[in-house]
Amino acid sequence: MYKYSELINDLELQIAEDTYREGDKLPSIRELALRYDCNKSTVIRALQDLQDKHLIYAASKSGYYVMKRSGERKEEGEHWIDFTASAPDPDIFPYLDFQHCINKAIDMYRKDLFIYGTPQGLPSLIREMQRQLASYQVFADIKQIFITSGVQQALGLLTRIPFPNGRERVLIEQPSYPLFMEYLKTYDIETEGIQRSDDGVDLNELERLFKTGEFKFFYTVPRFHNPLGVSYTRTQKKTIAQLAAKYDVYIVEDDYMADLEQDAKQDPIYAYDNTSHVIYLKSFSKIIFPGLRVGVAVLPEVLCESFNRFKRLMDIDSSMLSQAALELYLKSGMFERYGKRSMLLHDSIVRELNAASEQHYSYRPASQLGVHTYLKLEDSIRAEQMIKRLQKKSIRVEMADSGYLPNFAKKERILKLNVSSVKEPDIPSGIEQVIREIR
């Protein structure tokens, strides 16, 4: 099974990256068997799967060839290098796999699609999600797991429902998730910021803020932070969990990039929580595609009843079709295979980003193995003019201003660089042009 996965993942990646272009002939079955040290039947099975996905076709007595891509290629003048998009690269997503899951979900759950579900989520998906969460070192009872319409809905509900500590203020890292920042501002929720840097947050400052007894919860992105790209260390995560227990402040842990983690020893904050003070959130929209709108929230038992009640008033249930399709996608092993392929691709892309940034900026960016990094700008640089000049060169960048509270005193001038949707070959030239404009 390992050889098969390695073979099919490599071929899919090479086709996506244009190593094998439209019309190119693939190596022979014998050559592939030798290259991947496997038998011919394994190669034939992998090639058949690629045919089923319409990535390649077989020509009688000739071999296998790469099929024409869906959609027309953009002309040279229309090509953009977009460092602002946070959605996954659509070119690497196995649409036919997920289409199969949707079609099968319609067939299997056709009766359920015409009735309202439960606010907690599709029961069969929750059971499958329990197994998936365990792979992130999040072990939870079925009754603690809620399916939401993306993490944004979960965050909105958590700001509204009453917490046992009786508090209402929110503590949030700076910079942080722009949409959640906008939500807090729109609904006039009293919020305070704490600075996040390459080294994490100042734990002494965090304890001082927790000690005031004013905060309902602390919202944090511990792994592959957007836009900094950094992750907390194990010691930091343990300390945050201990402080939460000591001062009765809940932690809302947004672990949206857990699937890109390659260090098996890097557990979430949830794994260090002994007093039920950590709420674990995970989005599947960011790793699969944004239109899926499925997230999961793992709650302490004390919050389950009120979360369920408020969610029922908001939308009765998240999309049944999306839930059913995701269940089949997880259960079939397709998600695991796609996740491994995405991890390899992101690793390659981020290494290219690091190398390009070091070469042109003499500065090692903060990114580890996520999809985000940043460059600090001096006060003398006119960011708006620089961004407009880059747009004329078909390069999109943006500042991290929307990730800061309006009254946050330590706001930094950060230029965000997100490589979620940037092709690997475009990174060196894109970074070079960005840094040339900075200079």
Side-chain angles (χ1 to χ4, degrees):
M1 184 62 188
Y2 171 76
K3 293 294 183 183
Y4 166 79
S5 297
E6 181 185 7
L7 171 59
I8 195 167
N9 286 340
D10 276 4
L11 289 177
E12 284 185 5
L13 188 60
Q14 290 175 66
I15 291 170
E17 292 183 332
D18 282 342
T19 302
Y20 293 121
R21 296 177 179 272
E22 175 189 324
D24 284 355
K25 184 180 179 180
L26 294 181
S28 67
I29 292 173
R30 183 173 179 275
E31 186 179 342
L32 288 171
L34 289 171
R35 185 181 299 178
Y36 288 91
D37 190 25
C38 61
N39 57 47
K40 291 181 181 179
S41 62
T42 300
V43 175
I44 292 169
R45 183 159 67 96
L47 293 173
Q48 183 60 55
D49 280 359
L50 292 175
Q51 276 189 278
D52 292 343
K53 294 179 179 183
H54 304 290
L55 293 175
I56 64 173
Y57 65 94
S60 179
K61 299 181 180 180
S62 178
Y64 291 87
Y65 295 82
V66 177
M67 288 189 69
K68 182 178 180 179
R69 302 285 180 87
S70 59
E72 297 180 2
R73 290 184 180 274
K74 293 183 178 180
E75 297 298 327
E76 192 68 27
E78 297 177 299
H79 181 69
W80 281 82
I81 300 175
D82 192 349
F83 288 114
T84 67
S86 58
D89 185 352
D91 287 345
I92 69 167
F93 183 71
Y95 293 98
L96 292 173
D97 280 1
F98 203 80
Q99 184 181 34
H100 168 75
C101 292
I102 290 174
N103 292 336
K104 193 170 182 180
I106 291 173
D107 184 53
M108 287 179 62
Y109 293 99
R110 56 184 178 273
K111 293 181 181 179
D112 297 308
L113 297 176
F114 293 93
I115 61 173
Y116 288 119
T118 63
Q120 187 177 354
L122 184 67
S124 54
L125 173 59
I126 291 174
R127 288 192 294 273
E128 186 60 35
M129 194 63 73
Q130 185 183 41
R131 289 189 283 272
Q132 182 66 30
L133 287 165
S135 69
Y136 308 136
Q137 297 302 301
V138 174
F139 301 97
D141 192 273
I142 289 289
K143 62 189 175 186
Q144 295 175 262
I145 301 170
F146 286 78
I147 307 301
T148 60
S149 300
V151 162
Q152 184 72 5
Q153 184 190 48
L155 289 170
L157 288 167
L158 291 170
T159 59
R160 297 300 186 90
I161 67 173
F163 273 40
N165 59 21
R167 304 165 193 167
E168 296 184 354
R169 296 187 77 212
V170 171
L171 181 64
I172 188 168
E173 297 168 330
Q174 297 290 277
S176 190
Y177 179 29
L179 278 179
F180 187 40
M181 304 282 289
E182 186 65 26
Y183 181 93
L184 294 167
K185 178 182 175 182
T186 301
Y187 288 94
D188 199 25
I189 295 165
E190 195 173 351
T191 308
E192 187 168 338
I194 180 170
Q195 187 172 27
R196 176 85 179 258
S197 69
D198 292 358
D199 300 320
V201 295
D202 183 331
L203 294 174
N204 291 325
E205 174 68 4
L206 186 68
E207 181 170 18
R208 185 190 69 79
L209 290 166
F210 278 14
K211 194 182 294 186
T212 62
E214 298 177 350
F215 295 105
K216 178 180 186 177
F217 65 76
F218 169 45
Y219 172 75
T220 179
V221 181
R223 187 159 21 198
F224 310 131
H225 183 273
N226 178 6
L228 304 181
V230 295
S231 300
Y232 284 131
T233 64
R234 287 189 290 275
T235 300
Q236 288 171 324
K237 285 182 278 193
K238 288 178 183 178
T239 303
I240 290 171
Q242 291 166 356
L243 291 175
K246 183 176 181 180
Y247 297 106
D248 195 21
V249 177
Y250 286 82
I251 307 298
V252 175
E253 178 178 20
D254 190 346
D255 200 18
Y256 76 117
M257 284 290 182
D259 305 284
L260 297 184
E261 181 62 75
Q262 293 188 343
D263 185 352
K265 296 180 180 180
Q266 285 294 347
D267 295 335
I269 299 173
Y270 186 94
Y272 304 109
D273 177 30
N274 298 317
T275 59
S276 297
H277 274 84
V278 178
I279 298 159
Y280 182 85
L281 305 182
K282 174 75 178 72
S283 170
F284 287 87
S285 302
K286 296 293 186 185
I287 193 69
I288 300 179
F289 57 88
L292 182 65
R293 305 310 306 144
V294 175
V296 61
V298 181
L299 307 175
E301 287 187 37
V302 70
L303 294 177
C304 290
E305 190 279 329
S306 57
F307 190 91
N308 189 68
R309 177 163 46 89
F310 275 67
K311 188 176 184 299
R312 184 173 65 248
L313 294 172
M314 180 175 285
D315 70 354
I316 303 179
D317 198 1
S318 303
S319 166
M320 287 291 289
L321 182 57
S322 291
Q323 290 186 72
L326 180 59
E327 177 208 340
L328 295 173
Y329 195 57
L330 292 170
K331 191 177 290 183
S332 66
M334 293 178 185
F335 176 75
E336 182 181 6
R337 195 174 77 191
Y338 170 61
K340 289 179 180 177
R341 183 177 166 216
S342 297
M343 188 187 297
L344 289 172
L345 181 60
H346 280 110
D347 185 15
S348 177
I349 285 175
V350 173
R351 289 182 192 280
E352 188 68 47
L353 174 64
N354 284 347
S357 298
E358 279 188 285
Q359 178 183 352
H360 298 294
Y361 204 57
S362 300
Y363 162 74
R364 180 151 187 89
S367 186
Q368 295 163 351
L369 285 176
V371 294
H372 307 284
T373 191
Y374 68 95
L375 299 173
K376 289 183 181 178
L377 302 185
E378 296 176 3
D379 293 339
S380 59
I381 295 175
R382 298 180 179 180
E384 188 175 344
Q385 292 182 11
M386 181 191 70
I387 290 170
K388 287 180 179 178
R389 287 197 301 270
L390 286 167
Q391 283 179 338
K392 291 179 181 179
K393 298 178 180 179
S394 300
I395 297 175
R396 293 192 181 100
V397 293
E398 64 182 359
M399 299 294 287
D401 294 359
S402 60
Y404 284 99
L405 294 167
N407 59 349
F408 188 68
K410 298 179 181 179
K411 178 179 174 181
E412 294 187 297
R413 303 192 74 220
I414 289 177
L415 183 72
K416 296 165 59 176
L417 293 173
N418 186 328
V419 293
S420 298
S421 298
V422 181
K423 304 297 184 189
E424 187 174 348
D426 290 334
I427 292 175
S429 62
I431 293 291
E432 182 180 4
Q433 292 186 72
V434 169
I435 291 172
R436 186 180 299 150
E437 286 297 335
I438 290 174
R439 285 174 174 162

